[in-house]
Amino acid sequence: MRDLFAWLKKFAIVLFILSVIIIYSIYTLLTPKERLPVFQPDMVNAELVDSTVQYVRKYHTIKDFELINQNGDTITQDFYENKIYVADFFFTTCLTICPIMTDHMLEIQQKIKDDPEVLLLSHTVFPKTDSVPVLKKYAEEKGVIDEKWNLVTGDKKHIYELARKSYLASKSNGDGGPYDMIHTENFVLVDKEKRIRGFYDGTDAEAIKNLMHDIKVLKREYR
């Protein structure tokens, strides 16, 4: 009789373990994997999209660029080849939203500093005053890690066209002329195919938490 009870006990344990495995497997199969949208211009608030690309429905990517970083190095798409990155637009003398945005970029930098897949890119919207030495001083003061984060300057028209037609990050219209001004709080998440996968308010701490979550989700796509 004791042998029978021992056998039944073992059988019950094995049955329980198998049941847990089966239930977990079914749950996993039935639960869809979280996936970020691929944003096209026609999906984005029209205020943020240049009229020339407003009705694009597919194949939108960040256009090629050539800019200069805080160390005087030329930065192109090659630097971000096969990388996920977060982009924004700022200027060093801004006293309103930019300091908050920079603090949040620093927070992101701290969390991704040992992650070879993720980088940062900040474009100045005042390239005339934000020269390489100015950006270098700013980077040193803030604690920018050169290998992770480029602060870039360059031709104003080029930068403003990127903001409006590639990153879809500016509510204002303009041509990058002397009196044109972009002032946007948007952080943009870009995947390894140069596609936009998310927009976040760079002044909102909760949005930064969402951004960090979405980076993890996006990384899983490449596993």
Side-chain angles (χ1 to χ4, degrees), residues 6 55 57 67 82 90 94 141 158-159 161 189 201 211 219:
Y55 300 104
R57 296 183 176 182
L67 300 163
N82 201 34
F90 82 114
C94 169
E141 289 174 349
H158 182 37
I159 293 171
E161 186 168 279
L189 179 61
D201 183 342
L211 170 56
K219 286 178 64 178

Side-chain angles (χ1 to χ4, degrees), residues 15-96:
L15 186 62
F16 174 76
I17 293 171
L18 285 173
S19 299
V20 170
I21 293 172
I22 291 169
I23 292 170
Y24 176 78
S25 299
I26 293 173
Y27 175 80
T28 302
L29 288 172
L30 295 178
T31 304
K33 289 185 178 180
E34 187 176 2
R35 185 178 174 87
L36 303 181
V38 178
F39 284 94
Q40 305 298 332
D42 76 327
M43 298 165 58
V44 179
N45 183 340
E47 292 182 355
L48 295 168
V49 184
D50 188 271
S51 60
T52 61
V53 297
Q54 198 169 44
Y55 300 104
V56 174
R57 296 183 176 182
K58 56 184 179 180
Y59 307 132
H60 180 77
T61 59
I62 307 303
K63 300 304 180 187
D64 291 340
F65 54 81
E66 185 172 316
L67 300 163
I68 307 298
N69 76 356
Q70 65 268 26
N71 297 308
D73 299 326
T74 299
I75 301 299
T76 67
Q77 290 274 26
D78 290 344
F79 189 92
Y80 295 89
E81 186 69 26
N82 201 34
K83 303 293 183 184
I84 294 165
Y85 70 95
V86 180
D88 76 336
F89 295 83
F90 82 114
F91 59 102
T92 60
T93 54
C94 169
L95 299 176
T96 54

Side-chain angles (χ1 to χ4, degrees), residues 111-126:
K111 291 178 179 178
I112 57 100
K113 66 180 181 179
D114 297 318
D115 187 337
E117 283 187 85
V118 187
L119 299 172
L120 306 175
L121 175 61
S122 293
H123 312 72
T124 178
V125 297
F126 272 177

